[in-house]
Amino acid sequence: MGYSSILDWVKFNDPMLNEFYAYKVYNLPYDIGYKLWELIGGALAWLINLIFPGNGFSVTLISSDLLSNFFAIVFMVVVIFAVAFLINLTMIWEERKVLGRMMDRRATRIGPLGYLQNLADGLKTFLKENITPDKADKKGYMWALTLVIGTSVLLACMIPLSHRWFIVDYNTGLLLIFGLFAIAPFMILVAGWAQNNKYSLLGGMRAAAQMISYEVPILLVFASVALMAGSFNINDIVNMQAETMWFIIPQILGFLVFIVAAIAEAERIPFDLPEAEAELVEGWQTEYSGMKWGLIMLGDYFRGYVACALIVILFLGGWYLPFFDVGMQQDWLPEIVFLLKVFLVFFVFIWVRAAHCRVRTDQILNIGWKVLLPLSVINLVIAAVITYGGWL
Amino acid sequence: MADMWITMGPQHPFSHGLWTLKIRADGEIVKEAEPVVGYLHRGWEKECENRTYPLIIPMADRLCYSASMTWAHVYCKVVEEALEVELSDRAKYLRVIADEICRIQSHLMWLAAMGTDLGNLTIFLWALREREFFLDLNVKLCGQRLTTNYPRIGGVRNDMPYLFERDCMRVVDRFEKVMWEIVAMMDGSSIFLSRMRGVGVINRKDAANYGLTGPVMRGSGVDFDIRRDDPYCNYDQLDWEVAVSKDGDAYARYAVRIEEMFQSCEIIRQAMVKLKGLPRTDPVRFKVPRKVPAGTHFARLEDPRGESLMYLISDGTDKPYRLKVRSPIFVNVSASKHFVEGVRIADIPAIMGTLDMCLGETDR
């Protein structure tokens, strides 16, 4: 299969044959980044040739493996972030639309189907005054915010959309995601402390308590899935489900535990204690104003996306559909299948939010330790028995 | 963690209006609480002393935005007792219908606020959606949604408009159907039940000693309703039941209010039938003298929030010498210390939400 460059007069290497190519398999975002560099770099080479005619050196440099790999990665990062951002906007839009329908009210109105409402709201948030409390600990205040948003965005970008859409094909990918997921509640604690506000402090404390009680069941569910798949690699887990069956069937308990724990991790409404607006004003976000608050909201939805995507990856077969040939599906658009599943799971999240009240602090700990933890242990035992009994 | 004082209010999402609940919290547990009211004091009682009797009716509307009808009613009632005026039956039933519409919409407003207190916006929007239909009835009957200015000294302002009976029955029938949907969503949610059951308990004796009235009192098992036990406006000729619950917790108060809404529907239906039996030519309003003979009088009735009472000292002129308002919420909020101490901070909205705060009448 010959590689056809977009511009035939500047010769680029096949991205897969690039000597710095870091992946073992085909990577779509890298390819898109490569194509973008071919366009931009080609135009650059053409411009340099126009100014300094007969300059073969620039063409050689621009199409060299080192430079094209570097810029391909730069553009790949941009592409992946843009797609994650679009997914995030779509999820916010979905939430507002579905909630509006469930609550019997108008939802979003700007743009086609109200899709641009989020952008309008973002613009409005930009125009708000950016206040930093005078008595706040400036370092903790800003760094906690940066890390909360940063880890959320990083997580969303690290979620693979398909076997060909990923940043790293990391052997302990699941553990890495779990570790990054656990940073934000710590930072919320720091933020709550740094704001020098009693409501924020209580919100931060609640976030810490909630984190401790919900990380453990999540880790146990991760362990049982990894046990069944025999790997922490997300690609392997999904492939295992395509070969055998979706893990929701043997691990229905783990699935239920994970949905509850994921809602708690994403701090959505039955479990949004750290920002319970009825009692704690806005919880740990009280003193974050303007676009800082807007970014926190954006980060919340990134985490919601990650939680939904993890449910899809661990239990719902990732980017494959059952009863269809896997090889055939790989030629279609597995990314679309994956995203549709994510939006479907998120619909359940929205539904729960529309139907339920907020739980209390002691109740959330009770649910975590007395219900979810035993269930996840039972799920781990079931997974071990099924795996080592050879019944999968 | 050391104890800290948290000032919840006057601008806080849980305080529906301007009041403050100061709490001393040990972590999440409330050790000590102190309600502070008075931010909305506007000298209502003093202002009344400079106005003639009919001019106070629209002011009485402004005592509470969602119970304006009953406040205007209790004011008219106290002046009527001073003047010894007996209303016509038609006016009485019209007042009953208007009061019960007011009660339902006020309880729906409470339900909506309760929904946001517990973090459920669906309850908020559904309850407000239903409330709109009753506000539309207000518009048809009085021309205003909230500050209705409908009762008059000696009757009511106007008779029912054309087709009001049909519209009223339609709204009530629809409400009973839809209300079960909303109730099912709350009673079917285990989280809602766990938030409401067993918190903010007050027993019969304490409720009586604090002087609690209305749904808060009936929620703790005191079977007392002024509409039945000290009847006015022909309430005794209608067949309905007083909603009582024995538990005394937040859920009991919630259940009492929900049941009251259905009973109000029943009252409206029966009052409509009675009203139909009366001749259309009956007067709805009697002419009354401008000057009220000297003396002291009081009148009370069952407000959506409890027992509202007005005490009038008249000196024979056309202006009251003194008009004292006994607000049910002012008394109920004084029990918040009892309610809140020992619970968690997260329980405060759930408990104080069931008191149905309205600061206009508290601070006056």
Side-chain angles (χ1 to χ4, degrees):
Chain A
M1 193 175 78
Y3 177 75
S4 59
S5 172
I6 298 177
L7 306 165
D8 50 357
W9 60 280
V10 193
K11 293 286 174 250
F12 283 92
N13 247 340
D14 185 328
M16 301 273 283
L17 298 179
N18 189 316
E19 69 174 293
F20 299 103
Y21 187 64
Y23 305 107
K24 293 186 193 73
V25 289
Y26 175 68
N27 188 322
L28 182 59
Y30 184 86
D31 198 21
I32 293 173
Y34 211 84
K35 288 273 196 304
L36 276 173
W37 174 243
E38 279 179 18
L39 270 178
I40 296 168
L44 211 61
W46 176 79
L47 206 66
I48 293 169
N49 248 346
L50 200 69
I51 300 165
F52 310 106
N55 187 343
F57 175 69
S58 63
V59 174
T60 323
L61 184 70
I62 279 169
S63 64
S64 72
D65 277 3
L66 181 71
L67 217 58
S68 37
N69 180 57
F70 175 77
F71 279 104
I73 286 175
V74 168
F75 289 133
M76 166 190 180
V77 169
V78 173
V79 165
I80 283 184
F81 175 74
V83 168
F85 192 73
L86 268 182
I87 295 168
N88 191 348
L89 283 186
T90 313
M91 286 175 84
I92 301 176
W93 172 76
E94 181 195 0
E95 164 144 38
R96 298 175 82 157
K97 276 290 179 197
V98 174
L99 267 187
R101 196 44 79 89
M102 283 178 173
M103 292 177 178
D104 207 355
R105 63 174 165 88
R106 276 188 186 279
T108 58
R109 300 187 68 180
I110 296 174
L113 288 174
Y115 190 81
L116 300 181
Q117 181 91 43
N118 299 323
L119 293 178
D121 285 351
L123 193 67
K124 185 205 78 171
T125 323
F126 259 118
L127 300 178
K128 295 271 175 193
E129 190 183 357
N130 195 359
I131 302 168
T132 306
D134 200 27
K135 296 260 175 68
D137 182 311
K138 299 287 184 306
K139 266 184 198 156
Y141 181 79
M142 287 317 290
W143 271 107
L145 178 75
T146 313
L147 280 174
V148 168
I149 299 164
T151 50
S152 303
V153 175
L154 181 59
L155 267 172
C157 294
M158 280 185 57
I159 293 290
L161 295 190
S162 71
H163 61 281
R164 59 183 184 184
W165 188 291
F166 55 88
I167 287 188
V168 280
D169 193 13
Y170 198 52
N171 266 340
T172 52
L174 208 54
L175 279 183
L176 186 63
I177 285 175
F178 178 76
L180 285 174
F181 221 83
I183 288 178
F186 275 120
M187 287 304 120
I188 290 174
L189 182 59
V190 173
W193 198 276
Q195 285 169 49
N196 198 14
N197 177 318
K198 288 166 182 171
Y199 297 119
S200 313
L201 179 60
L202 280 172
M205 289 296 172
R206 285 181 176 191
Q210 192 169 326
M211 176 199 68
I212 292 166
S213 54
Y214 282 82
E215 301 276 279
V216 183
I218 283 190
L219 196 58
L220 282 174
V221 172
F222 273 3
S224 45
V225 167
L227 191 69
M228 207 168 248
S231 166
F232 273 116
N233 190 323
I234 289 173
N235 215 353
D236 290 352
I237 291 171
V238 172
N239 283 337
M240 187 73 178
Q241 293 182 64
E243 283 164 21
T244 56
M245 58 172 133
W246 288 8
F247 287 164
I248 185 177
I249 300 165
Q251 300 199 22
I252 181 74
L253 272 180
F255 175 70
L256 296 176
V257 168
F258 198 85
I259 274 205
V260 176
I263 292 176
E265 279 286 305
E267 281 167 18
R268 291 179 56 79
I269 240 178
F271 304 114
D272 69 335
L273 295 178
E275 56 209 71
E277 79 274 356
E279 59 249 29
L280 294 185
V281 188
E282 196 57 35
W284 67 277
Q285 311 169 359
T286 305
E287 298 286 354
Y288 287 109
S289 62
M291 201 51 203
K292 282 182 282 198
W293 182 81
L295 286 174
I296 288 173
M297 289 307 279
L298 204 68
D300 269 2
Y301 279 91
F302 273 123
R303 293 166 71 76
Y305 161 57
V306 173
C308 293
L310 280 178
I311 290 172
V312 171
I313 287 169
L314 298 182
F315 297 103
L316 299 177
W319 40 87
Y320 296 126
L321 292 169
F323 314 122
F324 286 100
D325 185 24
V326 169
M328 190 177 68
Q329 288 180 53
Q330 287 183 344
D331 295 340
W332 292 352
L333 289 167
E335 293 88 359
I336 301 289
V337 174
F338 182 80
L339 286 181
L340 284 180
K341 281 185 191 175
V342 166
F343 293 146
L344 208 64
V345 173
F346 195 59
F347 175 77
V348 177
F349 279 32
I350 299 167
W351 196 354
V352 171
R353 175 178 173 176
H356 280 297
C357 304
R358 182 180 300 118
V359 301
R360 217 166 51 207
T361 4
D362 53 331
Q363 288 166 348
I364 203 173
L365 299 183
N366 278 347
I367 297 170
W369 292 108
K370 293 185 185 163
V371 182
L372 295 187
L373 189 61
L375 282 181
S376 56
V377 171
I378 293 170
N379 180 60
L380 182 60
V381 172
I382 292 174
V385 167
I386 289 177
T387 311
Y388 292 107
W391 295 321
L392 191 67
Chain B
M1 191 158 55
D3 294 359
M4 63 181 178
W5 279 96
I6 300 176
T7 315
M8 297 175 92
Q11 290 182 6
H12 189 282
F14 108 95
S15 59
H16 306 293
L18 290 171
W19 70 292
T20 299
L21 185 67
K22 281 180 170 174
I23 54 172
R24 185 162 65 80
D26 176 15
E28 285 270 335
I29 314 276
V30 179
K31 292 282 183 194
E32 201 181 329
E34 185 193 344
V36 182
V37 295
Y39 293 92
L40 207 59
H41 179 68
R42 48 205 191 282
W44 192 92
E45 290 169 359
K46 190 69 190 166
E47 212 174 334
C48 287
E49 293 166 15
N50 292 322
R51 286 171 188 248
T52 56
Y53 284 100
L55 288 184
I56 298 175
I57 302 171
M59 280 184 64
D61 279 348
R62 269 95 180 148
L63 273 175
C64 174
Y65 68 100
S66 64
S68 58
M69 195 75 84
T70 43
W71 276 111
H73 186 171
V74 72
Y75 169 70
C76 292
K77 195 164 169 245
V78 72
V79 182
E80 280 153 15
E81 292 199 359
L83 291 167
E84 291 171 359
V85 181
E86 180 68 12
L87 302 188
S88 68
D89 272 356
R90 198 171 182 83
K92 283 181 179 173
Y93 284 123
L94 280 171
R95 278 192 184 179
V96 166
I97 290 168
D99 275 7
E100 296 308 318
I101 289 173
C102 166
R103 193 179 313 278
I104 295 176
Q105 63 96 351
S106 169
H107 280 356
L108 281 173
M109 187 66 230
W110 156 80
L111 188 62
M114 191 76 218
T116 53
D117 280 346
L118 293 173
N120 192 332
L121 272 177
T122 315
I123 296 175
F124 172 76
L125 283 150
W126 286 12
L128 282 188
R129 179 190 68 194
E130 296 315 309
R131 183 169 177 258
E132 280 306 305
F133 291 101
F134 288 95
L135 293 182
D136 286 350
L137 283 185
N138 265 355
V139 170
K140 288 199 179 80
L141 188 61
C142 333
Q144 235 329 330
R145 281 157 56 86
L146 292 174
T147 47
T148 44
N149 195 10
Y150 184 59
R152 287 289 181 276
I153 301 164
V156 293
R157 194 183 68 190
N158 55 297
D159 203 345
M160 287 193 297
Y162 180 59
L163 289 184
F164 180 74
E165 185 193 343
R166 185 203 63 181
D167 295 339
C168 194
M169 286 303 110
R170 274 187 190 171
V171 168
V172 167
D173 289 345
R174 184 186 180 284
F175 172 76
E176 285 185 328
K177 228 181 289 167
V178 176
M179 195 57 205
W180 282 118
E181 223 174 70
I182 304 178
V183 171
M185 193 176 74
M186 290 178 288
D187 282 350
S189 159
S190 54
I191 294 179
F192 179 82
L193 295 182
S194 68
R195 283 301 301 277
M196 299 287 274
R197 284 235 163 98
V199 300
V201 181
I202 187 162
N203 60 28
R204 226 181 119 101
K205 200 176 153 202
D206 284 345
N209 285 344
Y210 273 110
L212 305 186
T213 48
V216 183
M217 172 187 68
R218 288 193 285 277
S220 55
V222 183
D223 189 3
F224 180 77
D225 192 317
I226 299 173
R227 287 176 292 173
R228 187 195 61 193
D229 300 322
D230 184 11
Y232 54 94
C233 284
N234 290 356
Y235 265 109
D236 46 348
Q237 294 180 20
L238 305 171
D239 178 30
W240 55 282
E241 283 167 16
V242 177
V244 182
S245 177
K246 285 202 167 49
D247 302 338
D249 55 1
Y251 185 80
R253 298 191 276 278
Y254 152 82
V256 163
R257 283 208 176 84
I258 297 287
E259 180 57 29
E260 264 187 22
M261 282 195 252
F262 289 117
Q263 293 297 339
S264 292
C265 289
E266 196 52 43
I267 294 174
I268 291 176
R269 217 175 256 129
Q270 292 180 18
M272 270 302 182
V273 173
K274 296 262 187 191
L275 204 54
K276 231 158 121 188
L278 296 172
R280 185 101 199 157
T281 48
D282 271 7
V284 293
R285 183 178 169 188
F286 292 128
K287 287 268 180 196
V288 292
R290 266 173 188 283
K291 291 182 177 169
V292 175
T296 60
H297 306 273
F298 76 90
R300 58 177 185 167
L301 54 72
E302 188 71 20
D303 192 73
R305 291 166 176 73
E307 174 185 334
S308 59
L309 184 148
M310 278 200 193
Y311 178 69
L312 171 72
I313 303 176
S314 50
D315 55 359
T317 61
D318 59 347
K319 289 171 185 165
Y321 176 77
R322 175 84 171 91
L323 187 63
K324 168 83 176 75
V325 175
R326 187 263 189 206
S327 151
I329 296 301
F330 183 69
V331 181
N332 287 3
V333 78
S334 67
S336 60
K337 204 173 157 68
H338 172 93
F339 281 126
V340 163
E341 280 177 8
V343 302
R344 283 159 198 284
I345 290 178
D347 277 332
I348 293 178
I351 296 168
M352 300 316 287
T354 54
L355 290 192
D356 196 5
M357 293 297 292
C358 180
L359 269 296
E361 62 175 73
T362 311
D363 295 342
R364 304 189 285 281

